[in-house]
Amino acid sequence: MQPSFILIFGLLFARACAQQNGAHTRREGVVRQAVERILSNSHYDASQRPPIKNGPSSAVPVIVSVFLNRIVWHDEYAEVDLRLREQWEDSRLAYEVDPREAIDEITLPGSKQIWTPGTYFSNAKEKANDAVARGRTLVEPSGFVRASTGRTIYVPVSHGASFPFLNRRTFKLRLSSFNYPIEDVIYVWANSPPLVVPVEVADDLMEGTVKFEEVAAGDCIGNYTFGSYPCIDVDITFSSSTFSSFARVFLPSILLVIASWLHFWIHGSWSVPRTVSAAAPFLIFAALFLFGGSALPSSVPSLWCWLSFCLLLSFLSLLEYFLVILCGIRRNIRYASGRAGSAADDSPLTPHGNQTLEVVYDGKCASFRENNGLDVISRILFPVLFLVWCLLYFFVL
């Protein structure tokens, strides 16, 4: 009994596989015939716009959406790997299939040229020949076309205006047609009523140091090409860690400004440490302005406004150092010879046998009772000035 049961089960399994393979082969044959009918349509001209049914507009409506796969962030631009999805109706591509075959769509071969609206990103630089190699076109029996192309574009990035919280990055995707004016083609964002969903993002972009935040879709204002061409756009905003921007620019700049004040507490006669404290921060800020354009985003006016004030404050600190020198901090050493009753000698170039009687610091205008008067004022003035600037910058400007 057991061998017979195994034999019967094997025959039934083989029959089921044969039926499945036969159905699959028959389905492939139907799809192939439908594709051949589309390809052999002598009345189809890919250079001609699809006919429009009776409606309020004579333009072909193209439904678009964008799926973001990957983004590589730079200071001035972003390298965006995305998939552009477009849908439109072309009744010339309609075909008939047996409903029992349950064929909802067919995939056109890449060699088949059909009409497309000629969509491109008018505000971005696109990687050449990228869309051709990563495209796919599906056609439903009614002639409804769903095209998907993978593209890599380079688009400008704008940063948030609030500093030091430069944790918002926004770029705009502007879609237009380079072949057809607005009388022939119009674009609309794909939607899931009642919400418009123009952009979808990969799971990797929902997490990490730079995360997806929001989108704002709309219509372009004005003409961005010669003539009146269709245009829609969407602003895509990402947010990043506040601490990263704080530690990158804001905290180092504060430490440099404070370091430029250290010489206020160093006596004017100690020239080397005073010079380092006064000159080093100013030179660092100056070098940042001259050579730091690639390290910091130049498209953020508030950032460079902050750094400009830090440069000014460090320059004033350096200027105070020179004023102290000009005011005359001098160290006078009074000597007397080893012989009793000899006269005092004010010159430091005295014989080896002389004895030091007194060391006197002559500060002139830099001395309030020999206490470095300008430094005393600066110890109060510079921190107060910096605090007032911070309050104005964060709460007023």
Side-chain angles (χ1 to χ4, degrees), residues 46-67:
S47 63
Q48 296 296 322
R49 195 195 65 173
I52 302 299
K53 298 179 181 180
N54 295 331
S57 174
S58 61
V60 176
V62 180
I63 304 172
V64 296
S65 65
V66 175
F67 183 85

Side-chain angles (χ1 to χ4, degrees), residues 59-60 62 115-122 174-188 218-233:
V60 176
V62 180
W115 179 89
T116 61
T119 307
Y120 78 110
F121 295 91
S122 61
R174 182 180 297 135
L175 297 174
S176 184
S177 173
F178 58 81
N179 287 334
Y180 299 95
I182 197 170
E183 294 82 9
D184 292 331
V185 170
I186 58 173
Y187 288 103
V188 292
D219 297 324
C220 301
I221 301 176
N223 297 328
Y224 295 91
T225 52
F226 294 102
S228 299
Y229 285 78
C231 179
I232 56 175
D233 58 15

Side-chain angles (χ1 to χ4, degrees), residues 144-285:
F144 194 78
V145 181
R146 291 186 285 118
S148 176
T149 56
R151 307 190 183 190
T152 301
I153 62 173
Y154 305 92
V155 60
V157 174
S158 60
H159 295 262
S162 58
F163 183 83
F165 308 110
L166 288 173
N167 59 337
R168 290 171 63 90
R169 312 180 187 187
T170 302
F171 60 86
K172 182 186 295 291
L173 296 181
R174 182 180 297 135
L175 297 174
S176 184
S177 173
F178 58 81
N179 287 334
Y180 299 95
I182 197 170
E183 294 82 9
D184 292 331
V185 170
I186 58 173
Y187 288 103
V188 292
W189 288 113
N191 64 84
S192 177
L195 301 176
V196 177
V197 186
V199 177
E200 297 180 75
V201 298
D203 293 338
D204 294 342
L205 298 179
M206 301 295 293
E207 301 176 352
T209 57
V210 182
K211 299 182 294 185
F212 171 76
E213 184 172 318
E214 62 180 1
V215 297
D219 297 324
C220 301
I221 301 176
N223 297 328
Y224 295 91
T225 52
F226 294 102
S228 299
Y229 285 78
C231 179
I232 56 175
D233 58 15
V234 58
D235 292 319
I236 307 174
T237 302
F238 286 78
S239 61
S240 59
S241 172
T242 300
F243 178 77
S244 61
S245 58
F246 182 88
R248 182 183 178 187
V249 179
F250 185 68
L251 184 59
S253 62
I254 290 180
L255 294 178
L256 282 176
V257 170
I258 295 176
S260 68
W261 303 341
L262 296 180
H263 67 93
F264 300 154
W265 282 265
I266 302 175
H267 198 275
S269 62
W270 293 29
S271 60
V272 174
R274 283 183 65 95
T275 302
V276 173
S277 173
F282 171 74
L283 294 178
I284 292 176
F285 281 120

Side-chain angles (χ1 to χ4, degrees), residues 15-33:
R15 182 180 179 181
C17 291
Q19 291 177 350
Q20 184 176 4
N21 291 335
H24 182 71
T25 302
R26 184 172 61 256
R27 180 184 176 88
E28 287 184 347
V30 173
V31 172
R32 190 181 306 110
Q33 291 176 4

Side-chain angles (χ1 to χ4, degrees), residues 92-111:
R92 298 172 299 174
L93 300 177
Y95 57 91
E96 297 182 359
V97 293
D98 192 333
R100 293 173 297 180
E101 301 295 341
I103 297 177
D104 299 328
E105 61 189 22
I106 61 174
T107 302
L108 293 183
S111 59

